[in-house]
Amino acid sequence: MKEILISSIGALTGSGTLTLVLLFKATIILLAALGLTLMMRQRFSAGARHVVWLVTVSAVLLVPALTFWSPFQLRILPASTALSAPSSAPSSGRDRSAVDATEAWSDKSVVTNTGGSPRAPNETSLAGAAAPEGAIFAGMSGVTLLLLIWAAVVLAIAGSLGFAALTVRRIVRRSVPLDSRDWLDPLWEVSDRLGLEEPPLVVRSEDAKMPFACGVMNPTIVLPAGCDAWTLDRRRAVLLHELAHVKRHDLVGHTLGRLACAVYWFHPLVWTAAKNLRSESERACDDLALSCGARATDYAEHLLDIVTSVRRDATPSVALAMARRKEFEGRMLAILDPELRHSSPSRRQSVALIGSLALMAIVIGAAAPAPRATQQTVDSVQADDSIVADKQFEGDSRMANARAIPKAIVDASAKAIAEVSTSVSVSTRTRERTSTATRSALLDLVSKGQGPAAARDSDERPTLLSRVLLSDPNADLRQIAAWGLHEYADGPVAANALATALRRDA
């Protein structure tokens, strides 16, 4: 039962530790991006900060994959390896044979009584085989519950994103394409300014209140029904902003941000990263519109009129609305501030930012705990210690047997140890009880050893008790044997047996 509980706690702890490691890596990446963008606030443009947040969100989504499938493992953190202490180990070849025979009997789950008739299968070992599975399931119930809660929230957020995508699709289907000359002329003009090879589809919808861009694979610009009354300058300003999203592929980054929020819905820094990603993309589009010839005051006035004319914005979450009330004040200040840099990052700056951030994400994602010692190494060390102890034990046994030992004492000790050996099979089968008769026989053997030191010098009891201490699987019998050996601690046989048990026996 104790082993089952330890196994359950180990499984629970392992899953929890892995989750904490992943969250720790994601948090480091997010904090690094937050600090970097704060330092870039005055000296770099919004486009450069948008690149930082885009790489950060992508890295957070790839942290589990980098952890499990990284081409290399950077082992920097020490990890404690769970080492199972052996309950007992045989110290001689004959003792190992006896224990192996007992284990083989336990595996077959069938024993033969003195009469030769087969007994029933070992119900205890069958129950022990079935218990770990149920215990692991019971131990993992907490992790399973947390996983179900996480999956439920993920499905809810994914469902809301899917519903928003269907809403956008319905809006586009019910809209009317703007293919007249008064719309095509400014569309082609703005497309030429931005360097677009093919302008996206521009439609007018009765369901839209705010201009927005949508469609990752097939970009579409949706304008509200009141766009027919716009002046040519306002049409150009709106098209500049929305086509800038298409030029910069901001819809891809916006989708990645939504996915990151769905997966890490419980992490506040992920929501902050997604918000900053969207905010910086809007400011980068404003900078791009200004760099294409739009006057800052006129562009800010058009944005202000459009935002104030919409009382309730119902733009779906998967689309990029032209402006939102919550973030509009900061955008206006950024547009009208002449000291801020409004130029887009150069190709060299973008490559440097993406390369450095990607390298940092790979290093953090590939970092793995470095095991202090493996179970195979511990087993080999224990095996070496066992071989050395066996040689010492056999040599000391030959020295003890060479002494003059009375035949009556040897016969009595052999009879007692035979009873102990018989009880080994019974204790292996029951694993939780110790026979009263076996305990009495072993206690009797221990009590016979108490006497003058001269009589103990020719006694074979240390050899017999050492065998019980080093080979018996029953902890109670090993403890009684250790109690009896303390009378012979000045001898080599008892001293070596006690020292070996002290190193190996839990």
Side-chain angles (χ1 to χ4, degrees):
M1 190 67 182
K2 183 179 178 181
E3 289 80 2
I4 295 173
L5 181 59
I6 293 176
S7 176
S8 303
I9 295 176
L12 181 61
T13 305
S15 301
T17 303
L18 178 61
T19 303
L20 291 177
V21 168
L22 295 177
L23 292 179
F24 181 71
K25 292 180 179 181
T27 303
I28 291 179
I29 296 174
L30 291 168
L31 290 176
L34 185 61
L36 183 59
T37 52
L38 288 177
M39 291 187 297
M40 297 170 58
R41 180 69 62 182
Q42 297 295 332
R43 302 181 60 181
F44 290 86
S45 62
R49 297 191 298 269
H50 176 265
V51 171
V52 173
W53 286 117
L54 180 61
V55 177
T56 300
V57 170
S58 303
V60 167
L61 289 174
L62 292 176
V63 161
L66 292 174
T67 301
F68 290 107
W69 298 299
S70 176
F72 68 95
Q73 293 292 327
L74 182 62
R75 302 204 176 265
I76 58 175
L77 303 176
S80 59
T81 305
L83 303 179
S84 59
S87 60
S88 62
S91 62
S92 66
R94 292 172 297 174
D95 296 334
R96 288 193 184 94
S97 301
V99 174
D100 292 340
T102 303
E103 293 178 353
W105 167 85
S106 178
D107 293 337
K108 293 180 180 179
S109 302
V110 178
V111 296
T112 305
N113 57 12
T114 56
S117 60
R119 292 183 180 180
N122 190 353
E123 298 176 356
T124 305
S125 58
L126 291 177
E133 182 179 358
I136 291 176
F137 179 78
M140 292 293 289
S141 59
V143 177
T144 304
L145 180 60
L146 293 177
L147 182 61
L148 290 177
I149 295 175
W150 172 81
V153 179
V154 170
L155 290 177
I157 297 177
S160 65
L161 294 178
F163 179 77
L166 292 177
T167 303
V168 169
R169 188 176 181 180
R170 187 182 70 250
I171 291 175
V172 173
R173 283 183 175 181
R174 297 174 55 182
S175 61
V176 178
L178 296 175
D179 51 2
S180 59
R181 295 291 301 181
D182 53 350
W183 278 105
L184 291 179
D185 289 342
L187 177 62
W188 291 336
E189 178 186 351
V190 173
S191 298
D192 290 338
R193 290 185 184 182
L194 295 174
L196 290 175
E197 296 181 358
E198 183 178 356
L201 177 65
V202 179
V203 297
R204 181 187 61 190
S205 174
E206 297 290 341
D207 301 324
K209 303 297 182 182
M210 178 77 66
F212 64 85
C214 61
V216 177
M217 302 302 296
N218 298 313
T220 304
I221 307 301
V222 180
L223 302 178
C227 65
D228 292 334
W230 290 352
T231 62
L232 181 60
D233 290 339
R234 177 163 299 183
R235 293 180 183 183
R236 287 174 179 171
V238 172
L239 290 177
L240 271 173
H241 183 86
E242 298 304 329
L243 292 183
H245 282 305
V246 178
K247 172 68 175 180
R248 293 168 34 83
H249 304 284
D250 288 336
L251 289 169
V252 177
H254 183 66
T255 303
L256 291 177
R258 292 294 178 178
L259 291 178
C261 291
V263 176
Y264 295 91
W265 54 265
F266 51 88
H267 204 308
L269 287 180
V270 175
W271 291 91
T272 302
K275 178 182 177 181
N276 290 335
L277 178 66
R278 171 183 167 76
S279 177
E280 298 297 349
S281 68
E282 295 294 339
R283 294 189 180 187
C285 290
D286 294 338
D287 294 343
L288 187 57
L290 295 178
S291 63
C292 289
R295 294 181 58 183
T297 54
D298 295 340
Y299 184 77
E301 182 180 358
H302 293 314
L303 286 179
L304 180 61
D305 291 342
I306 292 175
V307 170
T308 54
S309 63
V310 178
R311 295 181 176 271
R312 181 177 298 176
D313 184 16
T315 303
S317 58
V318 296
L320 284 173
M322 184 174 181
R324 296 180 184 271
R325 288 180 176 270
K326 295 181 180 180
E327 59 189 23
F328 183 69
E329 181 179 357
R331 288 179 59 185
M332 289 290 292
L333 295 176
I335 293 171
L336 298 176
D337 191 351
E339 296 183 359
L340 293 180
R341 297 187 61 177
H342 299 289
S343 60
S344 300
S346 62
R347 185 182 300 272
R348 184 176 181 180
Q349 289 180 341
S350 300
V351 171
L353 286 173
I354 294 174
S356 58
L357 292 172
L359 180 61
M360 179 193 69
I362 292 175
V363 171
I364 294 176
R372 293 172 179 170
T374 60
Q375 185 63 41
Q376 182 179 3
T377 304
V378 175
D379 292 341
S380 62
V381 172
Q382 292 176 350
D384 295 338
D385 293 342
S386 178
I387 293 174
V388 174
D390 291 344
K391 292 181 179 179
Q392 294 177 353
F393 181 80
E394 291 176 359
D396 295 337
S397 300
R398 286 193 295 269
M399 293 176 60
N401 292 332
R403 301 173 182 175
I405 302 174
K407 186 175 183 302
I409 296 178
V410 175
D411 293 342
S413 300
K415 181 179 180 181
I417 202 64
E419 294 178 358
V420 172
S421 300
T422 303
S423 69
V424 169
S425 299
V426 177
S427 63
T428 303
R429 184 168 178 264
T430 58
R431 294 186 182 275
E432 294 183 359
R433 297 181 181 180
T434 303
S435 173
T436 304
T438 303
R439 292 174 58 89
S440 299
L442 189 59
L443 289 173
D444 184 61
L445 179 64
V446 171
S447 63
K448 288 179 181 180
Q450 297 177 356
R456 295 200 305 270
D457 290 341
S458 60
D459 198 349
E460 196 182 8
R461 291 184 185 87
T463 303
L464 301 176
L465 293 175
S466 298
R467 291 178 181 176
V468 175
L469 178 61
L470 297 177
S471 63
D472 197 291
N474 190 290
D476 292 337
L477 298 183
R478 296 197 309 273
Q479 188 176 22
I480 295 174
W483 289 340
L485 283 176
H486 86 278
E487 294 290 339
Y488 305 92
D490 53 347
V493 176
N496 291 331
L498 290 171
T500 303
L502 184 62
R503 290 196 307 267
R504 300 186 307 187
D505 199 332

